[in-house]
Structure formats: C-alpha cells, structure tokens
Amino acid sequence: MSIQVPFVSFRPMEQELNSELRAAFDRVLTNSWYILGKEDAAFEEAFARYVGADHCIGCGNGLDALILSLKALGIGEGDEVIVQSNTYIATVLAITYVGASPVLVEPDIRTYNIDPALIEKAITNKTKAIMPVHLYGQPCDMDPIMEIARRHGLKVVEDCAQAHGAIYKNNRVGTFGDSAGFSFYPGKNLGALGDGGAVTTSDQELADRIRALANYGSDYKYHFIYQGQNSRLDELQAALLAAKLPELDRMNAERRRIAQKYLEGITNPDIILPYVPDYAVPVWHIFAIRSERRDELAEYLKEREIGTMMHYPIPIHMQECYSEAARIRAGHDDASLPGCENLHDNLPYSEGDLPLAEEISRTQLSIPMYYGMTDEQVAHVIEAVNSFR
C-alpha cells in the first residue's frame, strides 16, 4: 500500500480539538452575539498575553492588520516603506493600499528574511517605516533592524502572518515593532475556520487608533473620529481561535520535531535546506527547500503521492498587477488617471533588478509540514527527496 502525504492536512488537529471547537461554536450560537462581544475580547486578551504585547486588536484578515497598522501610524501618500523583496504580495499590497511606496530590499539568501545589512542604504528622506517579514515562520534578525529604525526615527511594523509563536532571543515576534500584523487564515499555525487577523502593540494610543479605524473609525457607537473601515474579527472565529491557542506551543513543538527530522535526514547534495540562526526558534509554518531542478523535483514527488507548493513562483516586482501591463489592461495609459497613480511608479523594478528574490522564486519548493504527520509519512518524504537525481 502506497504512502500518501498531502501538502497540508487539518484533520489531525481538528480531530484532537473536536470537542473544544464544537463547544466554542455552541457557546457563540447560544449567546446570539456575533460581532464585538465577549468572545472577541477574551481572545484578544489571551493572544496579547501569549505574544507578550499589551494590546491585541482583532480584525478581518492579515492584510487588514498591516493596512490598519500603517494607517494608524500616519503612513500614506509620498512615504516610503522598506520591505523585503521575496515576501508574499499581501505585505506589499498593504503599503500600496495606503498610498505609500514599497522599497524592496533583498533577503539574506540563507534565512530568506530581510538582510539588515542592506536596509540602511535604502533609506531616503521619504522613508517612514521598515516592515520586516518573519517569512516561513522564522524570525528576522530584529536587533539590528530596531537599531537602524531608532537611529533614523523610523516606525517598525512586523509582518507575523506566518510566525505565530516564533521566538527571537527569548521574545516572541510581534513585540519588537511599533505594531505587528497576524493572519489567522486556516492554513496558519494558529488558523481560524475562515478569515481573521489581529494587530498586536504595546502602545496604548496606537491600539486605540487601530481599534477605531477597524470599526468604521468609531470610538463609541455612532461617533466617528476617523474615516475608518469595517475589519473586525467575528465572535465565532475568536471563539474557535481561543480554543486552539492553548495548544499552539505544543503543536509548534511537533512541527520543530518534524523539521529536525528533515534537516538531519535529507542528505541529497542537490537540495538546499533551510538555515536556522542561533538567535531563532522557528515555528516552521513552511519547510522550504531549494533546487535548481525545482519543477522536476515537484513532479517527482507528485508521482510518489507527496504534495508540494511553490512559495512564491513569481516575485512581486514581476507581478502583472504592479506593471505597465496592469494599466493597459484596465484601459488606461495615463498614470495620472484615478486608481492608476501607484500601479507602476511604486515598484520601479525590472527583471534582473532583484536577483535573490528571483532566484528564490525560481528554486523554492515547500514540502509537507503540518501537525499530525506520522513518522512514516516524514520518512517517506525524506526517502523520496534523497532519491531524486
């Protein structure tokens, strides 16, 4: 009988927590209160305590968490935000949505996170913030990033969408910057049963501003102090997340155990394995390997019933939505027309300008990594990767 290994499966976790999840659902249904109630308040308090921040504000999704952070910090038209070149597009979308310009900085090719040594030379008189992304669940090297930010008077917004519980030098990510955005998309280490997100911060004034912005700009009912948006974590998702949160560290520890088996067991010289610095305790949202024959490897593993994913096969600066083609497709050839101002000018890069991002996009392959993988499944993945020639 063949061994099947899906890229991800939620079933082991959901089976373990079935009674807790059903109790959370029943509690919300019984209370008949679905927006901004006690379930949301309880989860926000618990998640803030877990991360180590003073405040948590639930919102609609991870993208909104970053947008709300930038808005609350006053970042907008004419400002620049430094961000790594190989992140998921949501990070950059948040910057362009508020009207600011992303300045893409290459990663450290070993960790895939932003290279602190390259940040300072990207700073201009328009730079207002740095947005480090704890990519794949591995924390960025935050000390030099924070030192640069302090020296230049810049804000820091952490993108923690893939790094729930990751630790940098004894502190969890989400506590270093002025604020941090989390996603609770179902596939995350702490995932809802739908969309959800949150901002963490230890700045009371900033927390109040973000909370109001997320609720139409309202500080109390029918009183609006900002032109806000509707982005709230609903009661059901908050209750379900609260049921999962006590098990997060245990489940992250299991991911680390699987990752260690991969790191020790995969010996194919054609495969580049992840690198973990001494300062980092990753949570392995994604286990990313690299190969010059990535597409062939993916097909080889598929034939052996092993699921894989490419994160992310087209780098952001080469995505059509940030190119001249997007303007042409929309029927506009004039960047001054409404809605076209930032389509191209905010990403003034061409193919070849960001070679590390392009190399990672061309060679990266994610292999199965989820809570509940059996040792037999892990061994099957290792054997298959090693046998690829």
Side-chain angles (χ1 to χ4, degrees):
M1 183 176 178
S2 63
I3 301 172
Q4 296 180 338
V5 191
F7 176 67
V8 67
S9 173
F10 306 138
R11 187 159 297 174
M13 177 272 298
E14 290 169 349
Q15 288 178 338
E16 277 192 25
L17 300 182
N18 184 274
S19 60
E20 290 89 343
L21 295 172
R22 288 184 179 276
F25 178 85
D26 289 343
R27 194 168 63 246
V28 173
L29 192 62
T30 299
N31 290 336
S32 296
W33 192 283
Y34 304 111
I35 299 289
L36 297 181
K38 60 184 181 181
E39 297 289 350
D40 186 50
F43 172 71
E44 288 179 348
E45 181 181 352
F47 192 68
R49 186 168 57 249
Y50 173 81
V51 170
D54 291 343
H55 308 281
C56 169
I57 304 95
C59 61
N61 52 67
L63 172 59
D64 282 358
L66 298 177
I67 292 172
L68 290 164
S69 292
L70 293 171
K71 281 185 177 180
L73 289 168
I75 294 168
E77 200 73 39
D79 297 333
E80 293 178 351
V81 178
I82 293 173
V83 64
Q84 69 196 57
S85 58
N86 61 310
T87 182
Y88 181 56
I89 198 169
T91 317
V92 175
L93 283 174
I95 298 168
T96 58
Y97 276 6
V98 301
S101 298
V103 176
L104 302 183
V105 169
E106 291 273 67
D108 180 328
I109 194 63
R110 303 172 303 164
T111 66
Y112 310 129
N113 284 332
I114 193 168
D115 188 341
L118 301 179
I119 292 175
E120 202 145 21
K121 65 183 70 173
I123 295 173
T124 72
N125 59 2
K126 296 181 179 181
T127 307
K128 294 296 187 293
I130 305 169
M131 189 177 281
V133 184
H134 306 295
L135 198 66
Y136 305 154
Q138 174 145 273
C140 293
D141 191 359
M142 291 305 298
D143 282 353
I145 293 172
M146 296 307 300
E147 194 278 327
I148 291 169
R150 282 191 291 269
R151 187 149 28 88
H152 292 273
L154 304 177
K155 301 298 184 181
V156 175
V157 177
E158 297 173 70
D159 184 340
C160 302
Q162 300 181 0
H164 312 70
I167 294 172
Y168 173 81
K169 295 185 177 180
N170 299 317
N171 291 301
R172 296 193 198 275
V173 300
T175 59
F176 296 93
D178 296 271
S179 67
F182 288 84
S183 166
F184 301 128
Y185 179 78
K188 306 299 185 184
N189 292 38
L190 181 63
L193 271 64
D195 265 326
V199 179
T200 58
T201 180
S202 290
D203 183 324
Q204 176 71 64
E205 183 179 347
L206 186 62
D208 291 343
R209 199 176 304 135
I210 291 169
R211 193 175 296 281
L213 283 167
N215 188 30
Y216 296 101
S218 174
D219 55 347
Y220 60 88
K221 197 170 183 66
Y222 299 135
H223 184 258
F224 304 95
I225 54 177
Y226 307 115
Q227 295 180 25
Q229 62 195 77
N230 175 15
S231 182
R232 302 170 299 200
L233 182 65
D234 68 67
E235 286 286 278
L236 178 58
Q237 300 304 340
L240 295 168
L241 289 165
K244 289 183 174 185
L245 182 58
E247 306 301 323
L248 180 57
D249 281 345
R250 178 176 66 85
M251 293 183 174
N252 281 343
E254 175 63 8
R255 286 174 177 264
R256 283 193 286 272
R257 188 185 76 85
I258 295 167
Q260 193 60 37
K261 284 182 172 290
Y262 280 157
L263 291 170
E264 293 173 357
I266 296 175
T267 56
N268 187 330
D270 295 328
I271 301 300
I272 299 172
L273 292 169
Y275 167 78
V276 182
D278 291 340
Y279 58 69
V281 181
V283 292
W284 299 106
H285 172 62
I286 288 167
F287 193 95
I289 63 177
R290 286 172 47 224
S291 170
E292 289 294 329
R293 297 168 59 208
R294 185 266 311 276
D295 294 351
E296 294 173 63
L297 174 59
E299 185 61 31
Y300 181 84
L301 295 178
K302 181 180 178 181
E303 291 170 358
R304 281 147 187 79
E305 300 188 89
I306 297 171
T308 61
M309 188 77 70
M310 298 172 189
H311 295 90
Y312 306 97
I314 304 174
I316 292 170
H317 68 285
M318 292 168 59
Q319 290 285 355
E320 190 171 341
C321 64
Y322 283 115
S323 71
E324 188 71 22
R327 193 176 300 127
I328 294 170
R329 187 176 63 250
H332 304 312
D333 56 5
D334 183 354
S336 67
L337 290 174
C340 294
E341 301 87 355
N342 299 320
L343 279 176
H344 187 66
D345 294 341
N346 276 351
L347 289 183
Y349 307 97
S350 300
E351 185 173 354
D353 288 347
L354 298 164
L356 294 185
E358 293 172 30
E359 179 182 340
I360 293 168
S361 290
R362 179 177 56 82
T363 60
Q364 189 273 355
L365 187 70
S366 301
I367 60 177
M369 169 58 71
Y370 56 90
Y371 177 80
M373 285 185 71
T374 67
D375 287 345
E376 186 180 36
Q377 287 176 313
V378 174
H380 180 54
V381 175
I382 292 171
E383 186 280 327
V385 173
N386 283 339
S387 66
F388 174 71
R389 291 290 185 270

